[in-house]
Amino acid sequence: MTGQVRWGTPSARGVLATTILGSGMAMLDSSVVNIALPRLGKELDASVAGLQWVLNGYLLALAALVLVAGSLGDRYGRRRVFVVGVIWFGIASALCGVALSTPMLVVSRILQGVGGALLTPGSLSILQAVFHRDDRSRAIGAWSGLGGIAAAVGPLVGGLLVQAWSWRLAFLVNIPLVVVCVWLAMRCVPETRDEEVTGHPNILDSVLGAVGLAGITAALVEAPVRGADWLVVGAAVVGLGALTAFVLLQRRQANPLVPPALFASHTFVVSNALTLVVYAALTGVMVLMGLQLQTSLGYSPTAAGLAGLPITAVMLLLSARFGQLAARVGPRWFLVAGPLLIAAAMLLMTRIAPGASYLGAVLPSVALFGFGLSVVVAPVTATVLAAAPDRYAGLASGVNNAVARTGGLLAVAVLPAAAGLTGAAYTDPTALTSGWRTALLICASLAAAGGLMALSIRDNVLAAPPPGPHCDVESPAPAPRG
């Protein structure tokens, strides 16, 4: 049966190591790429729009496919889909590492996003399915904290790799991690699935979602450069039409990709809305910070990566503890305070400008930023999953991941133009600093709005009894004999 793995046991450590390595690999890759953008753009002669597509190609595939990937795990086995995603991610990473042009890199990044969509919700749904209910919040806290550290340490790793040889190492470094992750998954993770699921995967729904997000993204990225020409308008019309058809299908199908019943929970809806705005703000700031530190303050790639280490330290110390505390006293005030702290940190970041010192401007803002993330990440993840029936663990995880990635996708598509950054502005310290400050004000407003949303979240959701039936678990794969 599900829910038999207890915290502190060898089985728990094996499951946590696998899921943290898998999802952490995807998080690490995203943040490594952020710090590599200046060198990457220079070598491939990419414009701001080209860099946006390098980031959004990955986010687009991830956001569009993460929903069906979560349901595939529930249907065919969460470990099986997770392993396929890890292997796919590794192959696509190798293609990114040998890309010779911006279009080739964008296509490879889209393929990488497909792998990320398969592995990311799988890691979280595995934790939800195999851990005892009393230990789930603690396990998710450890997963989000240590996985978040992978994202936070990514800029440092990226800086070291870029300076050691090339931005290409930012992708090629994934290959040995893939090998270790697959070995751990087959040895340590039990297979779980939803035995009650029927019918076939909703491929049409996924296609409509992908086309909708692609159309909207293309219109938002290209509009500042091309204006309202036929391509931009056509992409917007196709995108809106596909998303409208997607929503109508979910309401009319017997077995929809996203059951409307999931959204009957007010807490599920609000916590996902909070995720959307907070991750939009977070992604926007993290993408621009690497550019600002290197272009405007003259940091080397390694120094720019080191600048964010306080985020890593704070999350390592506090994230799991806040997950535990939220499980005991309720998540509401953590979900209010965390985004407000993040917003305050973003306002402090407006002082990161040419001539600013690390101790006086960078350190206080990134330390507060890490504290805010520690307060909110584990509680919001646990709240989303607890608000959904257990049989929808993979799907609820997929919805939350899709919402987070869509927030990041929209931020990368909209924020540069909203902040006045187009063409080659990312290479001009004066233009970049002006855009950086404008972007921070926008992102701080989004984060604060997320915190205010959380006031209406049900505070006892993590203590509620299981709302749905359990599913069966196969025996884990036997450990190799020496």
Side-chain angles (χ1 to χ4, degrees):
M1 299 295 289
T2 59
Q4 296 302 306
V5 175
R6 298 308 304 256
W7 182 265
T9 63
S11 295
R13 289 190 287 271
V15 172
L16 278 172
T18 306
T19 55
I20 289 169
L21 180 58
S23 59
M25 181 172 59
M27 294 179 188
L28 176 69
D29 186 82
S30 297
S31 53
V32 163
V33 172
N34 289 344
I35 211 71
L37 282 177
R39 298 286 182 93
L40 184 158
K42 183 177 180 180
E43 181 175 327
L44 298 181
D45 194 26
S47 64
V48 167
L51 296 183
Q52 285 176 283
W53 278 116
V54 169
L55 296 171
N56 272 348
Y58 177 81
L59 290 172
L60 176 62
L62 189 62
L65 299 177
V66 76
L67 289 176
V68 73
S71 64
L72 287 174
D74 290 339
R75 181 184 302 268
Y76 297 117
R78 296 175 180 111
R79 184 186 67 184
R80 178 183 299 172
V81 172
F82 175 82
V83 168
V84 170
V86 170
I87 294 171
W88 186 301
F89 189 88
I91 294 171
S93 296
L95 293 175
C96 290
V98 299
L100 300 177
S101 65
T102 302
M104 184 177 176
L105 180 57
V106 170
V107 171
S108 300
R109 286 281 283 168
I110 292 172
L111 293 175
Q112 198 181 31
V114 174
L118 292 172
L119 73 89
T120 302
S123 60
L124 192 52
S125 62
I126 285 170
L127 296 179
Q128 183 76 359
V130 305
F131 271 91
H132 191 278
R133 186 174 183 87
D134 292 343
D135 294 325
R136 285 177 191 168
S137 291
R138 190 173 185 182
I140 291 170
W143 171 84
S144 61
L146 294 173
I149 286 168
V153 80
L156 172 59
V157 174
L160 291 170
L161 293 175
V162 169
Q163 285 195 237
W165 178 50
S166 167
W167 59 267
R168 299 178 186 279
L169 278 178
F171 298 105
L172 298 177
V173 72
N174 290 325
I175 296 173
L177 300 179
V178 165
V179 174
V180 174
C181 188
V182 170
W183 178 79
L184 281 172
M186 300 309 296
R187 173 172 178 155
C188 302
V189 178
E191 184 62 284
T192 64
R193 59 172 55 88
D194 180 2
E195 301 295 348
E196 298 182 15
V197 71
T198 58
H200 302 285
N202 294 293
I203 302 301
L204 176 60
D205 301 43
S206 299
V207 170
L208 287 172
V211 171
L213 287 174
I216 297 299
T217 301
L220 292 173
V221 170
E222 296 297 331
V225 178
R226 305 174 65 99
D229 68 359
W230 66 270
L231 180 61
V232 171
V233 174
V237 170
V238 170
L240 289 172
L243 290 178
T244 300
F246 175 84
V247 172
L248 292 175
L249 272 179
Q250 305 316 296
R251 296 175 64 88
R252 296 178 181 179
Q253 286 181 335
N255 295 295
L257 177 62
V258 183
L262 268 179
F263 297 92
S265 166
H266 174 80
T267 294
F268 185 83
V269 172
V270 173
S271 54
N272 274 292
L274 183 154
T275 298
L276 178 73
V277 296
V278 168
Y279 274 81
L282 172 63
T283 303
V285 167
M286 295 307 294
V287 168
L288 292 178
M289 181 182 289
L291 291 171
Q292 175 70 358
L293 290 175
Q294 293 178 72
T295 301
S296 300
L297 277 72
Y299 282 33
S300 68
T302 301
L306 283 168
L309 276 184
I311 300 174
T312 304
V314 173
M315 292 191 72
L316 178 61
L317 290 172
L318 299 178
S319 188
R321 288 182 171 85
F322 279 119
Q324 290 178 263
L325 191 58
R328 289 203 303 268
V329 304
R332 180 191 298 145
W333 293 110
F334 297 92
L335 304 187
V336 172
L340 293 179
L341 289 169
I342 292 171
M346 290 173 177
L347 294 178
L348 280 179
M349 287 178 184
T350 58
R351 301 165 61 224
I352 302 176
S357 70
Y358 179 77
L359 292 178
V362 180
L363 179 60
S365 58
V366 296
L368 183 58
F369 190 70
F371 184 72
L373 287 174
S374 299
V375 171
V376 72
V377 169
V380 74
T381 304
T383 299
V384 167
L385 293 180
D390 282 355
R391 67 184 295 259
Y392 289 138
L395 188 55
S397 171
V399 168
N400 193 239
N401 271 282
V403 166
R405 306 311 169 185
T406 300
L409 181 74
L410 293 175
V412 173
V414 173
L415 194 59
L421 297 173
T422 57
Y426 72 94
T427 64
D428 178 2
T430 301
L432 181 57
T433 298
S434 176
W436 162 248
R437 286 173 167 160
T438 302
L440 285 170
L441 296 177
I442 296 170
C443 291
S445 299
L446 285 174
L452 296 178
M453 288 180 191
L455 288 169
S456 65
I457 282 178
R458 183 163 58 92
D459 209 24
N460 65 344
V461 62
L462 300 182
H470 295 294
C471 52
D472 293 330
V473 181
E474 297 175 5
S475 298
R481 295 183 181 275

